[in-house]
């Protein structure tokens, strides 16, 4: 009798570019990796609302305020699609959120930096959303169907976010000397943390090899970081701003920019919870969760009542 090797079949299936769906057989480590990545991604969207929300009430015009509000609301939506995608793998949303609130779960390092001036909102849209797009366009082709489909919509919204940020930078760079200095200062502070968003170097990345073999990740951390740099340097030149890297240099031979060393010590420091705003972000999320308790309780009570009424009707 022929024995079926499910793992081999699974590997062949993903290598033939077919999507894995929630009810398909999948290796347990594949499921766990996806829950880890998708939930970290969801947490990043939700925590990512905080640094920007800091500026909603101080946006310099009604138009800027409306655009920023829409962007922050989109991020809440991204968090929701992503938690739903994680639920299709059997994860319990309350557990995932609980891990974020207790500090057990990771979220993107970038959101542990403060937003000191309005130019930071421009820099986040331009650089942070720019980096997010570079990473997430590849995820539209990830092997897990619900994640890939969520990413298509998320990427469309991210590209509006990126333009929103670049437009703020453009206005500041065309403005007064002080405004341009503000834009340069924001670029100086956000450049290196944005490069860290792509994760450790390929050599240090613990999950990449397996995730690429399962076609969860389609490009490596270093490849995506390089793509982002190559795309962003000309945008900085157009703004008349200087990238804060003295070693940045166009390499004719490779067709890529060479760049200086990334401070990985800082990256791991932030990951361990010691970045400038880690504590503040977790406190804000915990407070929002506690303040929203009555909404969850009301929604659950309503759902229960609706269910009971349905039961009464079908019994009658
Ligand atoms: N920050 O083996 P590696 C957004 C962790 S939100 C924190 O390379 P992997 C936006 C990594 O999790 C942007 N942790 O991991 C929202 C792993 O830890 P564990 C978020 C990081 O998973 C609002 C360890 O380091 N985007 O767009 O293969 C406003 C080793 O790394 C970071 C996503 O989440 C980091 N920067 O690759 C604006 C996209 N980097 O779990 C914008 C989906 C690495 O083993 N995620 N770590 O303990 C991914 O594509 C991948 O998970 C990553 C990391 C490329 C981030």
């Amino acid at each position: 009798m022929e024995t079926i090797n499910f793992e081999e079949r699974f590997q062949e299936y993903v290598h033939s570019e077919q999507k894995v769906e929630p009810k398909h057989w999948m290796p347990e480590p594949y499921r766990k990796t996806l829950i880890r990545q998708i939930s970290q991604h969801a947490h990043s969207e939700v925590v990512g609302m905080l640094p920007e929300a800091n500026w909603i009430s101080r946006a310099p015009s009604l138009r800027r305020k409306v655009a920023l509000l829409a962007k922050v609301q989109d991020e809440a939506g991204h968090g929701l699609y992503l938690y739903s995608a994680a639920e299709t793998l059997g994860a319990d949303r309350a557990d995932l959120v609980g891990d974020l609130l207790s500090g057990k779960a990771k979220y993107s390092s970038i959101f542990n930096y403060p937003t000191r001036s309005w130019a930071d909102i421009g820099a986040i849209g331009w650089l942070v959303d720019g980096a997010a797009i570079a990473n997430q366009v590849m995820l539209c082709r990830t092997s897990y169907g619900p994640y890939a489909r969520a990413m298509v919509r998320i990427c469309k919204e991210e590209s509006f976010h990126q333009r929103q940020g670049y437009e703020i930078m453009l206005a500041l760079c065309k403005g007064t000397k002080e405004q341009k200095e503000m834009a340069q200062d924001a670029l100086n502070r956000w450049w290196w943390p944005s490069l860290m968003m792509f994760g450790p170097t390929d050599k240090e990345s613990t999950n990449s090899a397996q995730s690429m073999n399962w076609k969860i990740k389609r490009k490596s951390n270093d490849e995506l970081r390089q793509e982002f740099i190559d795309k962003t340097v000309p945008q900085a030149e157009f703004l008349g701003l200087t990238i804060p890297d003295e070693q940045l240099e166009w390499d004719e031979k490779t067709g890529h920019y060479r760049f200086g060393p990334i401070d990985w010590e800082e990256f791991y420091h932030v990951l361990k919870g010691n970045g400038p705003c880690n504590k503040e972000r977790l406190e804000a999320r915990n407070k929002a969760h506690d303040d929203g308790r009555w909404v969850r309780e009301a929604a659950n009570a309503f759902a229960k009542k609706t269910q009971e009424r349905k039961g009464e009707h079908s019994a009658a």
Side-chain angles (χ1 to χ4, degrees):
M1 199 176 76
E2 193 201 352
T3 54
I4 302 169
N5 185 327
F6 283 102
E7 304 237 351
E8 263 173 36
R9 283 259 181 105
F10 180 82
Q11 203 58 49
E12 279 165 23
Y13 184 80
V14 291
H15 277 261
S16 66
E17 295 297 337
Q18 299 189 70
K19 292 280 178 253
V20 180
E21 296 298 338
K23 289 195 172 150
H24 291 173
W25 183 89
M26 61 185 86
E28 193 51 20
Y30 175 85
R31 198 179 68 81
K32 282 205 172 127
T33 295
L34 275 169
I35 293 176
R36 176 188 65 80
Q37 177 168 324
I38 298 173
S39 60
Q40 284 176 2
H41 192 165
H43 301 329
S44 304
E45 296 284 354
V46 172
V47 178
M49 295 163 73
L50 295 169
E52 294 175 294
N54 186 32
W55 281 89
I56 290 174
S57 59
R58 289 177 285 160
S61 69
L62 182 61
R63 179 173 166 271
R64 296 282 183 216
K65 185 170 176 145
V66 169
L68 182 58
L69 260 176
K71 178 184 194 285
V72 173
Q73 283 174 6
D74 283 350
E75 278 145 14
H78 298 175
L80 293 180
Y81 319 146
L82 289 164
Y83 284 127
S84 300
E87 283 177 317
T88 65
L89 291 152
D92 183 322
R93 186 182 303 207
D95 292 344
L96 300 177
V97 173
D99 286 348
L100 169 68
L101 298 177
S102 70
K104 186 175 160 210
K106 288 194 172 77
Y107 58 86
S108 185
S109 50
I110 193 78
F111 301 117
N112 293 305
Y113 291 85
T115 40
R116 295 212 177 101
S117 78
W118 172 250
D120 289 15
I121 299 305
I124 290 182
W126 172 35
L127 302 172
V128 176
D129 286 279
I133 293 170
N135 171 274
Q136 292 172 12
V137 163
M138 91 166 166
L139 292 174
C140 295
R141 292 188 299 115
T142 193
S143 56
Y144 187 57
Y147 193 23
R149 290 189 287 274
M151 291 318 303
V152 173
R153 177 154 175 193
I154 291 180
C155 281
K156 284 186 188 160
E157 292 175 351
E158 295 290 14
S159 86
F160 148 67
H161 297 173
Q162 201 267 353
R163 270 179 283 165
Q164 177 261 175
Y166 195 68
E167 201 217 352
I168 292 174
M169 294 303 272
L170 202 54
L172 291 173
C173 291
K174 280 190 189 155
T176 63
K177 182 172 162 283
E178 287 77 12
Q179 284 174 316
K180 190 157 183 192
E181 279 168 7
M182 215 163 91
Q184 181 65 55
D185 172 61
L187 170 59
N188 292 348
R189 285 180 291 105
W190 289 92
W191 176 252
W192 292 104
S194 298
L195 298 189
M196 294 173 195
M197 280 178 74
F198 295 94
T201 59
D202 294 350
K203 247 172 63 197
E204 299 295 323
S205 167
T206 43
N207 303 295
S208 273
Q210 182 61 79
S211 287
M212 288 184 72
N213 200 30
W214 279 326
K215 295 196 183 284
I216 293 174
K217 280 167 89 165
R218 313 294 306 235
K219 290 183 182 179
S220 78
N221 298 359
D222 286 335
E223 265 179 279
L224 289 170
R225 190 169 9 251
Q226 186 69 57
E227 267 182 25
F228 170 73
I229 293 171
D230 291 346
K231 203 175 71 185
T232 310
V233 175
Q235 294 172 352
E237 281 167 4
F238 185 78
L239 292 172
L241 297 178
T242 308
I243 302 273
D245 178 357
E246 284 178 1
Q247 295 181 41
L248 189 76
E249 189 178 14
W250 176 249
D251 184 336
E252 200 66 58
K253 257 199 253 142
T254 60
H256 295 294
Y257 282 92
R258 268 189 266 147
F259 54 97
I262 294 173
D263 183 353
W264 291 114
E265 218 173 284
E266 174 181 321
F267 172 75
Y268 288 113
H269 192 68
V270 174
L271 251 60
K272 279 193 195 122
N274 303 318
C277 300
N278 294 61
K279 198 167 162 274
E280 190 184 314
R281 300 291 181 242
L282 275 194
E283 279 170 6
R285 277 315 313 151
N286 272 288
K287 181 175 182 311
H289 191 75
D290 292 344
D291 291 349
R293 188 176 310 278
W294 69 272
V295 180
R296 291 190 299 280
E297 284 172 1
N300 281 336
F302 179 73
K304 195 168 160 231
K305 241 188 218 169
T306 313
Q307 207 59 38
E308 281 166 6
R309 274 201 206 121
K310 261 194 208 154
E312 281 165 21
H313 279 301
S314 53

